[in-house]
Amino acid sequence: MKIDFFGSSLVSSYWNGAATYYRGLLKALAGLGHTVTFYEPDAFERQQHRDIADPDWARVVVYPATQDGWRRALDRARAQADLLVKASGVGVFDRELEEAVPGIACSGCHTVYWDVDAPATLDAMARDSNHHLRRVIPDYDLVLTYGGGAPVSEAYRRWGARDCVPIYNALDPDTHYPVPANAEYVCDLNFLGNRLPDREARVEEFLLRTAALRPGHRFVLAGAGWGDKAIPGNVQVRDHVRTADHNTFFCSALATLNINRDSMVRYGFSPPTRIFEAAGAGACIISDAWEGIGLFLEPGREILVAADANAVAEHLDRLTPVGARAIGAAALERVLAEHTYVHRARQVAGLLDAWTYAEEAAE
């Protein structure tokens, strides 16, 4: 099947948290025999901050971030696609693409809205009675999400989706795996994530207040946008960390922190890419609490869960290097067995096969 996919960026993780997800899933789909073309706009300086070359498992089409640019890209996709995907959060001309994709005329072509931030999208739709997705979601053949579980699927069906299926984040073991520590990142606890409005208060609670409670410990806060924030003296700030350096980052701390955004916590069942990246590196993860975490990793054995800064500090007090390695090893074993992108790609392939079977049966 020819899959044409409109997303934020495949070749750059710069201000693009979906890069790992796109790479892992589309690589695995290509491995199952599908032909992938990825369309991304030349926007937000992502092309100037590429961290991978064009992969051999996908054709990358970079189009101008203009009205004419997205229209020409869509015309190209319409001429060849069996499956046409519009992902959320492209960043430019999202509404135009989301309205145009399900209405295109291509024989035998199916359309999918793939929401890589479903909790935020659903919140926006609920707030705005004129939100365009309220009108166009019923026109897509299928909605896929990278998180949210039953609460998100049920919400999308209430907005008229023909069906909504979560395709969760996962691990690409060829990309994320254990490596030696790097002295540059050595600390007791680190966190990797860009500064975002619906995450910042939780970072203040789970990382910065923990640092204030444990002044003798070392912490690292990495990601874009944190440079001008007031932080405790025992927290070292790092700017954007390239995807190629994520393994080193996770493997250099006693433990690494996962902090979900507000909307993801409300809906639950929304593991970020960072959980699987860190688990793939064999890191000991301490996560904020959210419903559904046990579907992916077992609390207490494969991941540590904390309700607030006090709980994070208590985990650090009890954690030894031997204990941290045991938790990280258990997490790695679990994700390799159940949560790789090959697992997710087979799930997607099953949905595509069901379409093919239904069409053949109807002929």
Side-chain angles (χ1 to χ4, degrees), residues 80-99:
Q80 67 183 27
D82 299 312
L83 179 67
L84 183 55
V85 177
K86 167 58 177 71
S88 65
V90 169
V92 292
F93 299 107
D94 275 292
R95 175 170 181 163
E96 289 84 350
L97 280 165
E98 285 157 5
E99 291 177 332

Side-chain angles (χ1 to χ4, degrees), residues 283-353:
C284 175
I285 304 167
I286 301 176
S287 178
D288 57 350
W290 39 275
E291 185 180 1
I293 195 169
L295 181 65
F296 307 98
L297 294 170
E298 181 183 339
R301 192 178 78 85
E302 299 166 341
I303 192 170
L304 300 175
V305 180
D308 54 25
N310 291 319
V312 176
E314 290 170 3
H315 280 313
L316 290 178
D317 291 343
R318 292 191 295 267
L319 201 56
T320 65
V322 172
R325 285 195 294 272
I327 293 169
L332 175 57
E333 182 179 9
R334 174 74 178 274
V335 297
L336 287 173
E338 300 180 17
H339 301 300
T340 69
Y341 280 113
V342 172
H343 291 97
R344 307 293 191 248
R346 288 173 179 161
Q347 183 185 1
V348 174
L351 296 170
L352 304 183
D353 288 344

Side-chain angles (χ1 to χ4, degrees), residues 135-160:
R135 184 180 68 260
V136 302
I137 282 298
D139 296 331
Y140 283 88
D141 293 304
L142 178 65
V143 175
L144 298 178
T145 72
Y146 90 166
V152 160
S153 295
E154 291 166 3
Y156 258 115
R157 292 187 189 110
R158 287 195 296 271
W159 291 119

Side-chain angles (χ1 to χ4, degrees), residues 153-359:
S153 295
E154 291 166 3
Y156 258 115
R157 292 187 189 110
R158 287 195 296 271
W159 291 119
R162 301 177 195 180
D163 198 6
C164 177
V165 180
I167 307 296
Y168 293 111
N169 283 309
L171 168 70
D172 177 358
D174 294 332
T175 303
H176 295 103
Y177 45 81
V179 299
N182 184 323
E184 180 180 1
Y185 295 126
V186 168
C187 63
D188 297 292
L189 184 68
N190 63 22
F191 172 71
L192 175 59
N194 295 332
R195 188 177 183 178
L196 298 171
D198 65 344
R199 176 190 283 151
E200 187 164 358
R202 298 179 68 80
V203 172
E204 291 171 354
E205 171 64 24
F206 286 91
L207 182 69
L208 302 186
R209 196 163 80 83
T210 300
L213 290 171
R214 295 295 183 270
H217 287 59
R218 297 174 60 191
F219 300 81
V220 173
L221 171 59
W226 298 107
D228 62 349
K229 186 170 182 65
I231 60 170
N234 57 338
V235 179
Q236 185 179 55
V237 176
R238 295 283 181 178
D239 201 353
H240 173 70
V241 178
R242 299 180 309 145
T243 302
D245 296 327
H246 285 190
N247 292 333
T248 297
F249 182 84
F250 292 125
C251 290
S252 298
L254 178 67
T256 191
L257 190 61
N258 173 70
I259 304 172
N260 277 16
R261 302 199 330 272
D262 295 339
S263 57
M264 296 171 75
V265 172
R266 286 197 302 276
Y267 282 89
F269 299 91
S270 299
T273 55
R274 296 292 181 262
I275 278 192
F276 297 105
E277 289 185 5
C284 175
I285 304 167
I286 301 176
S287 178
D288 57 350
W290 39 275
E291 185 180 1
I293 195 169
L295 181 65
F296 307 98
L297 294 170
E298 181 183 339
R301 192 178 78 85
E302 299 166 341
I303 192 170
L304 300 175
V305 180
D308 54 25
N310 291 319
V312 176
E314 290 170 3
H315 280 313
L316 290 178
D317 291 343
R318 292 191 295 267
L319 201 56
T320 65
V322 172
R325 285 195 294 272
I327 293 169
L332 175 57
E333 182 179 9
R334 174 74 178 274
V335 297
L336 287 173
E338 300 180 17
H339 301 300
T340 69
Y341 280 113
V342 172
H343 291 97
R344 307 293 191 248
R346 288 173 179 161
Q347 183 185 1
V348 174
L351 296 170
L352 304 183
D353 288 344
W355 269 337
T356 303
Y357 176 81
E359 289 169 350

